[in-house]
Amino acid sequence: MNINTAYYKSIAKAGNLFLPVFTSTPLEKEDFFSYLPDTAKDTLVRFAKECKRGEGEVKTLRLFEDGIKSIVLFGMGAKEKWNARKHVFIARRMVQYAKGESIKEFSVPIPLIRFEKKSLSETAKVFAENAILGNFAFTKYKEMPKEGWPEVHAVNLLVEGGKTAEVLLGIREGAIIGEETNECRALANTPGGDMTPVLLAEAARRSVAKLDVRVNVFDEKKMASLGMGAILGVAKGSVEKPRFIILEYLNGPKNQKPLVLAGKGVTFDTGGLNLKPSNYIYEMHMDMSGGAAVIHGIAAIARLKLPLNAIGLIPAAENMPSGSSYHPGDLLKSLSGKTIEVLDTDAEGRVLLSDALTYGLRYKPGLLIDFATLTGAAHVALGSHMSAVFTREHDQKLQDTLIEVGLQSGDYVWPLPLWDEYLTEIKGTFGDLANVGSRDRYGGAIHGAKFLEQFAGDARFAHIDIAPRMTTIEGEYLAKGASGVGVRFIVELAKSYSRIMSHES
Ligand code: BES
Ligand code: ZN
Ligand code: ZN
């Protein structure tokens, strides 16, 4: 999809003019209005008066003129009830409507998509990003219909003369973030049979091939020589060999401690010998969503040339039941030296991530953070609109910043506790740590987080359980399947990194 700018004076040739309107927006007082052809002005004013413009309402005025074929009003309801979270849906709604009407190109005046006092470039960024997210569909495995896929080819943002450069800057940033998020969605949507750990490593290499990112992939022999017994334990039941994927982007000051991002890369989670019931296995090819987010988050950071040092670590394995599977009761020797008592083979994410976190400590991180579809419990706790964020008990500043990063990026996060009280519940009987809570199943998301924290040493640490946001939900104007959660968060986190580094934690 191409997103361009055009001047108001070209409005008479806009083709399809899309206008988001509050119940109270006086269209005739908007800057763009005076540029409309006179006939369109009168018709639009009459039409706008007739429309209720309620939230979610769409009304189409067909003009059948040469220059403007249609004007579409997208109702936003009362201005007082509007907020930033609803605002990101505007672009997606427009694209969804256009797809349904086979409209390939439309124009929007920038002032109408500006939220409160946001800058023009931020306005354009949010619009471009969300238009691109709205235009995505996972079609790789389908035959193309004769008329082609219903997708929008171009959007023109109408601006006043002299403001183009600022808007173009925002478009570029939004486009990169939107594109990488869509790439992440495609990767996570790819069925487990076509996305094994080895193939995930190849996909990682391809994703950053033209970028200033160094890739290193450990095979099972290298992992064994290092002592990554936790990853190897999870991988034992599968014929697919595990991989440990490392991405290094070093574009910050030499002495800046890196942002280390770990992402769960379970390419299919059957549960292992503690096999999942069939309706829970469905969609478990997306259990590498955290890994996919780290790959495309780093790719986005590199494309944007952000000035920081960032490392991506993705432990990739398939969790299968077989004669060679790890068993409940197994005691795995992790890279950290701690032993893990496997009480449930389905709690495999924390097991393989433990080695990634330990490995991450070698980089002396300024912040060590992981993204993982870790627990159904996080989903139960928060519903489907936000991921769970965990920071150490006394690191309130980091928690606040991460919530802010979530709001700013659109990948919303909400805190759950990491209190030491929960640690006693994951102490092992025969090993150092048990991979599930020993008392009952309550607080499962916290047990997962508390387990991971034990492998973060003295590093500043956060864990994001993205299970609640693994797939898109109805009402967010996105195609079914993986949501690409994490990519937008990682970019925003990278932008805030120097601020995070200056907290005295
Ligand atoms: N990958 C799952 C968690 C998950 C479930 C992610 C649904 C996305 C959607 C994870 O490996 C898992 O199976 N967790 C168990 C943990 C339990 C055994 C303590 C769970 O959540 O039930
Ligand atoms: Zn599992
Ligand atoms: Zn899993």
Side-chain angles (χ1 to χ4, degrees), residues 188-190 200 263-271 276 281 283-292 315 317 319 346-349 352 371-375 466-467 470:
N189 278 334
T190 304
L200 185 64
K264 174 174 172 181
V266 174
T267 58
F268 199 94
D269 181 12
T270 62
K276 286 178 183 293
I281 284 190
E283 292 188 336
M284 276 303 118
H285 59 285
M286 293 185 227
D287 211 17
M288 33 58 80
S289 295
N319 188 19
D346 195 13
E348 83 299 337
L352 95 179
F371 297 81
T373 46
L374 207 74
T375 67
I466 57 172
M470 184 175 78

PDB file of all heavy atoms in Angstrom, residues 188-190 200 263-271 276 281 283-292 315 317 319 346-349 352 371-375 466-467 470:
ATOM      1  N   ALA A 188       3.910 -15.635  12.189  1.00  0.00           N
ATOM      2  CA  ALA A 188       3.204 -16.349  13.256  1.00  0.00           C
ATOM      3  C   ALA A 188       2.014 -17.146  12.705  1.00  0.00           C
ATOM      4  O   ALA A 188       1.667 -18.196  13.247  1.00  0.00           O
ATOM      5  CB  ALA A 188       2.739 -15.359  14.322  1.00  0.00           C
ATOM      6  N   ASN A 189       1.421 -16.670  11.625  1.00  0.00           N
ATOM      7  CA  ASN A 189       0.286 -17.387  11.025  1.00  0.00           C
ATOM      8  C   ASN A 189       0.713 -18.654  10.282  1.00  0.00           C
ATOM      9  O   ASN A 189      -0.110 -19.528  10.021  1.00  0.00           O
ATOM     10  CB  ASN A 189      -0.433 -16.488  10.008  1.00  0.00           C
ATOM     11  CG  ASN A 189      -1.414 -15.523  10.664  1.00  0.00           C
ATOM     12  OD1 ASN A 189      -1.921 -15.790  11.746  1.00  0.00           O
ATOM     13  ND2 ASN A 189      -1.672 -14.406  10.011  1.00  0.00           N
ATOM     14  N   THR A 190       1.982 -18.712   9.900  1.00  0.00           N
ATOM     15  CA  THR A 190       2.453 -19.854   9.105  1.00  0.00           C
ATOM     16  C   THR A 190       2.285 -21.143   9.913  1.00  0.00           C
ATOM     17  O   THR A 190       2.701 -21.227  11.066  1.00  0.00           O
ATOM     18  CB  THR A 190       3.928 -19.643   8.699  1.00  0.00           C
ATOM     19  OG1 THR A 190       4.006 -18.401   8.005  1.00  0.00           O
ATOM     20  CG2 THR A 190       4.431 -20.754   7.801  1.00  0.00           C
ATOM     21  N   LEU A 200      12.395 -21.146  11.133  1.00  0.00           N
ATOM     22  CA  LEU A 200      12.271 -19.856  11.841  1.00  0.00           C
ATOM     23  C   LEU A 200      13.617 -19.119  11.808  1.00  0.00           C
ATOM     24  O   LEU A 200      13.664 -17.903  11.590  1.00  0.00           O
ATOM     25  CB  LEU A 200      11.805 -20.075  13.285  1.00  0.00           C
ATOM     26  CG  LEU A 200      11.534 -18.801  14.094  1.00  0.00           C
ATOM     27  CD1 LEU A 200      10.371 -17.995  13.511  1.00  0.00           C
ATOM     28  CD2 LEU A 200      11.204 -19.143  15.562  1.00  0.00           C
ATOM     29  N   GLY A 263      12.516 -13.764  22.979  1.00  0.00           N
ATOM     30  CA  GLY A 263      11.168 -14.072  22.493  1.00  0.00           C
ATOM     31  C   GLY A 263      10.941 -15.569  22.429  1.00  0.00           C
ATOM     32  O   GLY A 263      11.752 -16.311  21.857  1.00  0.00           O
ATOM     33  N   LYS A 264       9.841 -16.014  23.023  1.00  0.00           N
ATOM     34  CA  LYS A 264       9.521 -17.451  23.023  1.00  0.00           C
ATOM     35  C   LYS A 264       9.299 -17.924  21.580  1.00  0.00           C
ATOM     36  O   LYS A 264       8.457 -17.396  20.863  1.00  0.00           O
ATOM     37  CB  LYS A 264       8.260 -17.696  23.862  1.00  0.00           C
ATOM     38  CG  LYS A 264       7.730 -19.135  23.821  1.00  0.00           C
ATOM     39  CD  LYS A 264       6.562 -19.341  24.781  1.00  0.00           C
ATOM     40  CE  LYS A 264       5.901 -20.707  24.606  1.00  0.00           C
ATOM     41  NZ  LYS A 264       4.751 -20.914  25.507  1.00  0.00           N
ATOM     42  N   GLY A 265      10.054 -18.972  21.209  1.00  0.00           N
ATOM     43  CA  GLY A 265       9.974 -19.464  19.835  1.00  0.00           C
ATOM     44  C   GLY A 265       9.527 -20.913  19.765  1.00  0.00           C
ATOM     45  O   GLY A 265      10.190 -21.745  19.147  1.00  0.00           O
ATOM     46  N   VAL A 266       8.401 -21.233  20.416  1.00  0.00           N
ATOM     47  CA  VAL A 266       7.889 -22.606  20.326  1.00  0.00           C
ATOM     48  C   VAL A 266       7.067 -22.703  19.036  1.00  0.00           C
ATOM     49  O   VAL A 266       6.001 -22.094  18.920  1.00  0.00           O
ATOM     50  CB  VAL A 266       7.065 -22.986  21.576  1.00  0.00           C
ATOM     51  CG1 VAL A 266       6.414 -24.349  21.408  1.00  0.00           C
ATOM     52  CG2 VAL A 266       7.986 -22.992  22.804  1.00  0.00           C
ATOM     53  N   THR A 267       7.607 -23.417  18.067  1.00  0.00           N
ATOM     54  CA  THR A 267       6.994 -23.389  16.731  1.00  0.00           C
ATOM     55  C   THR A 267       5.706 -24.207  16.673  1.00  0.00           C
ATOM     56  O   THR A 267       4.887 -23.998  15.802  1.00  0.00           O
ATOM     57  CB  THR A 267       7.988 -23.876  15.650  1.00  0.00           C
ATOM     58  OG1 THR A 267       8.411 -25.201  16.004  1.00  0.00           O
ATOM     59  CG2 THR A 267       9.195 -22.950  15.561  1.00  0.00           C
ATOM     60  N   PHE A 268       5.560 -25.124  17.604  1.00  0.00           N
ATOM     61  CA  PHE A 268       4.256 -25.746  17.838  1.00  0.00           C
ATOM     62  C   PHE A 268       4.235 -26.319  19.244  1.00  0.00           C
ATOM     63  O   PHE A 268       5.154 -27.011  19.648  1.00  0.00           O
ATOM     64  CB  PHE A 268       3.913 -26.844  16.808  1.00  0.00           C
ATOM     65  CG  PHE A 268       2.439 -27.115  16.795  1.00  0.00           C
ATOM     66  CD1 PHE A 268       1.609 -26.473  15.884  1.00  0.00           C
ATOM     67  CD2 PHE A 268       1.852 -27.954  17.742  1.00  0.00           C
ATOM     68  CE1 PHE A 268       0.225 -26.660  15.912  1.00  0.00           C
ATOM     69  CE2 PHE A 268       0.485 -28.156  17.779  1.00  0.00           C
ATOM     70  CZ  PHE A 268      -0.337 -27.508  16.858  1.00  0.00           C
ATOM     71  N   ASP A 269       3.158 -25.986  19.970  1.00  0.00           N
ATOM     72  CA  ASP A 269       3.053 -26.442  21.360  1.00  0.00           C
ATOM     73  C   ASP A 269       1.880 -27.414  21.498  1.00  0.00           C
ATOM     74  O   ASP A 269       0.729 -27.012  21.610  1.00  0.00           O
ATOM     75  CB  ASP A 269       2.851 -25.229  22.287  1.00  0.00           C
ATOM     76  CG  ASP A 269       2.755 -25.630  23.761  1.00  0.00           C
ATOM     77  OD1 ASP A 269       3.079 -26.793  24.079  1.00  0.00           O
ATOM     78  OD2 ASP A 269       2.376 -24.771  24.579  1.00  0.00           O
ATOM     79  N   THR A 270       2.229 -28.696  21.483  1.00  0.00           N
ATOM     80  CA  THR A 270       1.168 -29.700  21.706  1.00  0.00           C
ATOM     81  C   THR A 270       0.903 -29.885  23.193  1.00  0.00           C
ATOM     82  O   THR A 270      -0.081 -30.512  23.587  1.00  0.00           O
ATOM     83  CB  THR A 270       1.600 -31.083  21.179  1.00  0.00           C
ATOM     84  OG1 THR A 270       2.765 -31.497  21.926  1.00  0.00           O
ATOM     85  CG2 THR A 270       1.925 -31.056  19.696  1.00  0.00           C
ATOM     86  N   GLY A 271       1.816 -29.381  24.024  1.00  0.00           N
ATOM     87  CA  GLY A 271       1.765 -29.659  25.461  1.00  0.00           C
ATOM     88  C   GLY A 271       2.776 -30.731  25.827  1.00  0.00           C
ATOM     89  O   GLY A 271       3.114 -30.899  26.988  1.00  0.00           O
ATOM     90  N   LYS A 276      -2.149 -31.335  25.328  1.00  0.00           N
ATOM     91  CA  LYS A 276      -3.288 -30.414  25.437  1.00  0.00           C
ATOM     92  C   LYS A 276      -4.552 -31.080  24.908  1.00  0.00           C
ATOM     93  O   LYS A 276      -4.478 -31.851  23.943  1.00  0.00           O
ATOM     94  CB  LYS A 276      -3.029 -29.164  24.582  1.00  0.00           C
ATOM     95  CG  LYS A 276      -2.022 -28.186  25.150  1.00  0.00           C
ATOM     96  CD  LYS A 276      -1.823 -27.026  24.177  1.00  0.00           C
ATOM     97  CE  LYS A 276      -0.771 -26.044  24.676  1.00  0.00           C
ATOM     98  NZ  LYS A 276      -1.156 -25.304  25.875  1.00  0.00           N
ATOM     99  N   ILE A 281      -5.167 -27.165  21.428  1.00  0.00           N
ATOM    100  CA  ILE A 281      -3.999 -27.284  20.534  1.00  0.00           C
ATOM    101  C   ILE A 281      -4.137 -26.360  19.332  1.00  0.00           C
ATOM    102  O   ILE A 281      -3.155 -25.821  18.824  1.00  0.00           O
ATOM    103  CB  ILE A 281      -3.829 -28.753  20.043  1.00  0.00           C
ATOM    104  CG1 ILE A 281      -3.239 -29.603  21.174  1.00  0.00           C
ATOM    105  CG2 ILE A 281      -2.926 -28.808  18.830  1.00  0.00           C
ATOM    106  CD1 ILE A 281      -2.813 -30.983  20.735  1.00  0.00           C
ATOM    107  N   GLU A 283      -4.303 -23.404  17.022  1.00  0.00           N
ATOM    108  CA  GLU A 283      -3.596 -22.105  17.071  1.00  0.00           C
ATOM    109  C   GLU A 283      -2.223 -22.169  17.732  1.00  0.00           C
ATOM    110  O   GLU A 283      -1.550 -21.147  17.836  1.00  0.00           O
ATOM    111  CB  GLU A 283      -4.443 -21.012  17.759  1.00  0.00           C
ATOM    112  CG  GLU A 283      -5.664 -20.631  16.944  1.00  0.00           C
ATOM    113  CD  GLU A 283      -6.424 -19.427  17.496  1.00  0.00           C
ATOM    114  OE1 GLU A 283      -6.311 -19.166  18.690  1.00  0.00           O
ATOM    115  OE2 GLU A 283      -7.123 -18.785  16.699  1.00  0.00           O
ATOM    116  N   MET A 284      -1.802 -23.360  18.191  1.00  0.00           N
ATOM    117  CA  MET A 284      -0.516 -23.408  18.900  1.00  0.00           C
ATOM    118  C   MET A 284       0.695 -23.314  17.970  1.00  0.00           C
ATOM    119  O   MET A 284       1.840 -23.346  18.427  1.00  0.00           O
ATOM    120  CB  MET A 284      -0.441 -24.624  19.820  1.00  0.00           C
ATOM    121  CG  MET A 284      -1.088 -24.370  21.168  1.00  0.00           C
ATOM    122  SD  MET A 284      -0.350 -22.954  22.013  1.00  0.00           S
ATOM    123  CE  MET A 284      -1.715 -21.848  22.156  1.00  0.00           C
ATOM    124  N   HIS A 285       0.439 -23.167  16.659  1.00  0.00           N
ATOM    125  CA  HIS A 285       1.553 -22.820  15.763  1.00  0.00           C
ATOM    126  C   HIS A 285       1.970 -21.367  16.006  1.00  0.00           C
ATOM    127  O   HIS A 285       3.022 -20.939  15.555  1.00  0.00           O
ATOM    128  CB  HIS A 285       1.155 -23.018  14.298  1.00  0.00           C
ATOM    129  CG  HIS A 285      -0.023 -22.188  13.883  1.00  0.00           C
ATOM    130  ND1 HIS A 285      -1.319 -22.501  14.266  1.00  0.00           N
ATOM    131  CD2 HIS A 285      -0.111 -21.053  13.147  1.00  0.00           C
ATOM    132  CE1 HIS A 285      -2.146 -21.595  13.762  1.00  0.00           C
ATOM    133  NE2 HIS A 285      -1.438 -20.703  13.094  1.00  0.00           N
ATOM    134  N   MET A 286       1.112 -20.621  16.708  1.00  0.00           N
ATOM    135  CA  MET A 286       1.449 -19.213  16.995  1.00  0.00           C
ATOM    136  C   MET A 286       2.214 -19.054  18.297  1.00  0.00           C
ATOM    137  O   MET A 286       2.388 -17.942  18.790  1.00  0.00           O
ATOM    138  CB  MET A 286       0.176 -18.369  17.060  1.00  0.00           C
ATOM    139  CG  MET A 286      -0.530 -18.246  15.748  1.00  0.00           C
ATOM    140  SD  MET A 286      -1.912 -17.115  15.910  1.00  0.00           S
ATOM    141  CE  MET A 286      -3.165 -18.057  15.096  1.00  0.00           C
ATOM    142  N   ASP A 287       2.678 -20.163  18.859  1.00  0.00           N
ATOM    143  CA  ASP A 287       3.378 -20.088  20.135  1.00  0.00           C
ATOM    144  C   ASP A 287       4.809 -19.555  19.974  1.00  0.00           C
ATOM    145  O   ASP A 287       5.554 -19.490  20.939  1.00  0.00           O
ATOM    146  CB  ASP A 287       3.374 -21.472  20.807  1.00  0.00           C
ATOM    147  CG  ASP A 287       3.372 -21.375  22.329  1.00  0.00           C
ATOM    148  OD1 ASP A 287       3.046 -20.296  22.847  1.00  0.00           O
ATOM    149  OD2 ASP A 287       3.711 -22.377  22.982  1.00  0.00           O
ATOM    150  N   MET A 288       5.127 -19.183  18.735  1.00  0.00           N
ATOM    151  CA  MET A 288       6.424 -18.513  18.501  1.00  0.00           C
ATOM    152  C   MET A 288       6.200 -17.021  18.252  1.00  0.00           C
ATOM    153  O   MET A 288       7.055 -16.327  17.702  1.00  0.00           O
ATOM    154  CB  MET A 288       7.192 -19.146  17.319  1.00  0.00           C
ATOM    155  CG  MET A 288       6.378 -19.694  16.180  1.00  0.00           C
ATOM    156  SD  MET A 288       5.312 -18.461  15.417  1.00  0.00           S
ATOM    157  CE  MET A 288       6.520 -17.641  14.399  1.00  0.00           C
ATOM    158  N   SER A 289       5.024 -16.528  18.663  1.00  0.00           N
ATOM    159  CA  SER A 289       4.703 -15.111  18.416  1.00  0.00           C
ATOM    160  C   SER A 289       5.694 -14.157  19.093  1.00  0.00           C
ATOM    161  O   SER A 289       6.005 -13.092  18.547  1.00  0.00           O
ATOM    162  CB  SER A 289       3.290 -14.796  18.926  1.00  0.00           C
ATOM    163  OG  SER A 289       2.341 -15.516  18.177  1.00  0.00           O
ATOM    164  N   GLY A 290       6.170 -14.519  20.271  1.00  0.00           N
ATOM    165  CA  GLY A 290       7.154 -13.661  20.958  1.00  0.00           C
ATOM    166  C   GLY A 290       8.445 -13.600  20.151  1.00  0.00           C
ATOM    167  O   GLY A 290       9.033 -12.527  19.961  1.00  0.00           O
ATOM    168  N   GLY A 291       8.876 -14.750  19.652  1.00  0.00           N
ATOM    169  CA  GLY A 291      10.083 -14.794  18.823  1.00  0.00           C
ATOM    170  C   GLY A 291       9.902 -13.984  17.551  1.00  0.00           C
ATOM    171  O   GLY A 291      10.780 -13.214  17.145  1.00  0.00           O
ATOM    172  N   ALA A 292       8.730 -14.136  16.925  1.00  0.00           N
ATOM    173  CA  ALA A 292       8.453 -13.391  15.680  1.00  0.00           C
ATOM    174  C   ALA A 292       8.462 -11.891  15.962  1.00  0.00           C
ATOM    175  O   ALA A 292       8.950 -11.097  15.145  1.00  0.00           O
ATOM    176  CB  ALA A 292       7.105 -13.825  15.113  1.00  0.00           C
ATOM    177  N   PRO A 315      14.954 -18.605  21.562  1.00  0.00           N
ATOM    178  CA  PRO A 315      15.113 -20.050  21.688  1.00  0.00           C
ATOM    179  C   PRO A 315      13.945 -20.705  20.947  1.00  0.00           C
ATOM    180  O   PRO A 315      12.782 -20.458  21.254  1.00  0.00           O
ATOM    181  CB  PRO A 315      14.996 -20.273  23.204  1.00  0.00           C
ATOM    182  CG  PRO A 315      14.168 -19.128  23.705  1.00  0.00           C
ATOM    183  CD  PRO A 315      14.318 -17.985  22.746  1.00  0.00           C
ATOM    184  N   ALA A 317      12.052 -24.147  19.481  1.00  0.00           N
ATOM    185  CA  ALA A 317      11.906 -25.608  19.610  1.00  0.00           C
ATOM    186  C   ALA A 317      10.451 -25.973  19.376  1.00  0.00           C
ATOM    187  O   ALA A 317       9.567 -25.109  19.424  1.00  0.00           O
ATOM    188  CB  ALA A 317      12.338 -26.057  21.002  1.00  0.00           C
ATOM    189  N   ASN A 319       7.393 -28.478  20.793  1.00  0.00           N
ATOM    190  CA  ASN A 319       7.044 -29.257  21.990  1.00  0.00           C
ATOM    191  C   ASN A 319       6.120 -30.411  21.587  1.00  0.00           C
ATOM    192  O   ASN A 319       4.942 -30.195  21.313  1.00  0.00           O
ATOM    193  CB  ASN A 319       6.347 -28.330  22.998  1.00  0.00           C
ATOM    194  CG  ASN A 319       6.124 -28.991  24.353  1.00  0.00           C
ATOM    195  OD1 ASN A 319       6.781 -29.991  24.685  1.00  0.00           O
ATOM    196  ND2 ASN A 319       5.202 -28.444  25.132  1.00  0.00           N
ATOM    197  N   ASP A 346       3.740 -29.034  29.544  1.00  0.00           N
ATOM    198  CA  ASP A 346       3.067 -27.971  28.787  1.00  0.00           C
ATOM    199  C   ASP A 346       3.511 -26.583  29.245  1.00  0.00           C
ATOM    200  O   ASP A 346       3.214 -25.590  28.589  1.00  0.00           O
ATOM    201  CB  ASP A 346       1.539 -28.127  28.938  1.00  0.00           C
ATOM    202  CG  ASP A 346       0.772 -27.313  27.912  1.00  0.00           C
ATOM    203  OD1 ASP A 346       1.416 -26.834  26.944  1.00  0.00           O
ATOM    204  OD2 ASP A 346      -0.455 -27.161  28.066  1.00  0.00           O
ATOM    205  N   ALA A 347       4.191 -26.496  30.375  1.00  0.00           N
ATOM    206  CA  ALA A 347       4.734 -25.201  30.797  1.00  0.00           C
ATOM    207  C   ALA A 347       6.160 -25.112  30.262  1.00  0.00           C
ATOM    208  O   ALA A 347       7.135 -24.972  31.008  1.00  0.00           O
ATOM    209  CB  ALA A 347       4.690 -25.070  32.310  1.00  0.00           C
ATOM    210  N   GLU A 348       6.266 -25.256  28.926  1.00  0.00           N
ATOM    211  CA  GLU A 348       7.577 -25.359  28.273  1.00  0.00           C
ATOM    212  C   GLU A 348       8.203 -24.005  27.962  1.00  0.00           C
ATOM    213  O   GLU A 348       9.425 -23.897  27.849  1.00  0.00           O
ATOM    214  CB  GLU A 348       7.442 -26.178  26.973  1.00  0.00           C
ATOM    215  CG  GLU A 348       6.957 -25.418  25.730  1.00  0.00           C
ATOM    216  CD  GLU A 348       5.563 -24.813  25.861  1.00  0.00           C
ATOM    217  OE1 GLU A 348       4.800 -25.311  26.701  1.00  0.00           O
ATOM    218  OE2 GLU A 348       5.247 -23.845  25.150  1.00  0.00           O
ATOM    219  N   GLY A 349       7.348 -22.969  27.842  1.00  0.00           N
ATOM    220  CA  GLY A 349       7.856 -21.654  27.442  1.00  0.00           C
ATOM    221  C   GLY A 349       8.857 -21.117  28.444  1.00  0.00           C
ATOM    222  O   GLY A 349       9.957 -20.682  28.092  1.00  0.00           O
ATOM    223  N   LEU A 352      12.281 -23.093  28.241  1.00  0.00           N
ATOM    224  CA  LEU A 352      13.273 -22.752  27.211  1.00  0.00           C
ATOM    225  C   LEU A 352      13.721 -21.301  27.293  1.00  0.00           C
ATOM    226  O   LEU A 352      14.876 -20.974  26.996  1.00  0.00           O
ATOM    227  CB  LEU A 352      12.834 -23.216  25.827  1.00  0.00           C
ATOM    228  CG  LEU A 352      12.121 -22.395  24.779  1.00  0.00           C
ATOM    229  CD1 LEU A 352      11.899 -23.247  23.557  1.00  0.00           C
ATOM    230  CD2 LEU A 352      10.816 -21.849  25.258  1.00  0.00           C
ATOM    231  N   PHE A 371       9.287 -11.543  25.666  1.00  0.00           N
ATOM    232  CA  PHE A 371       7.932 -11.538  25.117  1.00  0.00           C
ATOM    233  C   PHE A 371       7.540 -12.988  24.881  1.00  0.00           C
ATOM    234  O   PHE A 371       8.221 -13.705  24.151  1.00  0.00           O
ATOM    235  CB  PHE A 371       7.906 -10.766  23.793  1.00  0.00           C
ATOM    236  CG  PHE A 371       8.263  -9.317  23.967  1.00  0.00           C
ATOM    237  CD1 PHE A 371       9.589  -8.920  24.066  1.00  0.00           C
ATOM    238  CD2 PHE A 371       7.278  -8.352  24.075  1.00  0.00           C
ATOM    239  CE1 PHE A 371       9.924  -7.589  24.264  1.00  0.00           C
ATOM    240  CE2 PHE A 371       7.596  -7.025  24.280  1.00  0.00           C
ATOM    241  CZ  PHE A 371       8.928  -6.641  24.369  1.00  0.00           C
ATOM    242  N   ALA A 372       6.446 -13.411  25.497  1.00  0.00           N
ATOM    243  CA  ALA A 372       6.120 -14.833  25.409  1.00  0.00           C
ATOM    244  C   ALA A 372       4.622 -15.080  25.504  1.00  0.00           C
ATOM    245  O   ALA A 372       3.944 -14.490  26.354  1.00  0.00           O
ATOM    246  CB  ALA A 372       6.836 -15.584  26.532  1.00  0.00           C
ATOM    247  N   THR A 373       4.128 -15.953  24.636  1.00  0.00           N
ATOM    248  CA  THR A 373       2.752 -16.452  24.785  1.00  0.00           C
ATOM    249  C   THR A 373       2.825 -17.514  25.890  1.00  0.00           C
ATOM    250  O   THR A 373       2.802 -18.706  25.630  1.00  0.00           O
ATOM    251  CB  THR A 373       2.279 -17.089  23.469  1.00  0.00           C
ATOM    252  OG1 THR A 373       3.323 -17.940  22.964  1.00  0.00           O
ATOM    253  CG2 THR A 373       1.943 -16.029  22.433  1.00  0.00           C
ATOM    254  N   LEU A 374       2.929 -17.020  27.138  1.00  0.00           N
ATOM    255  CA  LEU A 374       3.331 -17.937  28.210  1.00  0.00           C
ATOM    256  C   LEU A 374       2.185 -18.666  28.889  1.00  0.00           C
ATOM    257  O   LEU A 374       2.283 -19.847  29.181  1.00  0.00           O
ATOM    258  CB  LEU A 374       4.164 -17.184  29.259  1.00  0.00           C
ATOM    259  CG  LEU A 374       5.146 -18.095  30.001  1.00  0.00           C
ATOM    260  CD1 LEU A 374       6.311 -18.474  29.122  1.00  0.00           C
ATOM    261  CD2 LEU A 374       5.657 -17.450  31.277  1.00  0.00           C
ATOM    262  N   THR A 375       1.104 -17.942  29.177  1.00  0.00           N
ATOM    263  CA  THR A 375       0.047 -18.606  29.971  1.00  0.00           C
ATOM    264  C   THR A 375      -1.364 -18.238  29.540  1.00  0.00           C
ATOM    265  O   THR A 375      -1.670 -17.078  29.243  1.00  0.00           O
ATOM    266  CB  THR A 375       0.168 -18.232  31.477  1.00  0.00           C
ATOM    267  OG1 THR A 375      -0.125 -16.848  31.662  1.00  0.00           O
ATOM    268  CG2 THR A 375       1.530 -18.565  32.037  1.00  0.00           C
ATOM    269  N   ILE A 466       2.306 -12.194  26.400  1.00  0.00           N
ATOM    270  CA  ILE A 466       1.481 -11.719  25.288  1.00  0.00           C
ATOM    271  C   ILE A 466       0.384 -12.708  24.890  1.00  0.00           C
ATOM    272  O   ILE A 466      -0.307 -12.487  23.885  1.00  0.00           O
ATOM    273  CB  ILE A 466       2.347 -11.380  24.038  1.00  0.00           C
ATOM    274  CG1 ILE A 466       3.179 -12.597  23.609  1.00  0.00           C
ATOM    275  CG2 ILE A 466       3.236 -10.168  24.289  1.00  0.00           C
ATOM    276  CD1 ILE A 466       3.909 -12.415  22.280  1.00  0.00           C
ATOM    277  N   ALA A 467       0.226 -13.781  25.688  1.00  0.00           N
ATOM    278  CA  ALA A 467      -0.814 -14.763  25.334  1.00  0.00           C
ATOM    279  C   ALA A 467      -2.191 -14.108  25.111  1.00  0.00           C
ATOM    280  O   ALA A 467      -2.904 -14.479  24.175  1.00  0.00           O
ATOM    281  CB  ALA A 467      -0.894 -15.862  26.397  1.00  0.00           C
ATOM    282  N   MET A 470      -2.349 -12.784  21.490  1.00  0.00           N
ATOM    283  CA  MET A 470      -1.743 -13.587  20.420  1.00  0.00           C
ATOM    284  C   MET A 470      -2.518 -13.435  19.106  1.00  0.00           C
ATOM    285  O   MET A 470      -1.938 -13.280  18.039  1.00  0.00           O
ATOM    286  CB  MET A 470      -1.695 -15.059  20.843  1.00  0.00           C
ATOM    287  CG  MET A 470      -0.995 -15.951  19.840  1.00  0.00           C
ATOM    288  SD  MET A 470      -0.844 -17.644  20.448  1.00  0.00           S
ATOM    289  CE  MET A 470      -2.480 -18.307  20.174  1.00  0.00           C
TER     290      MET A 470
END
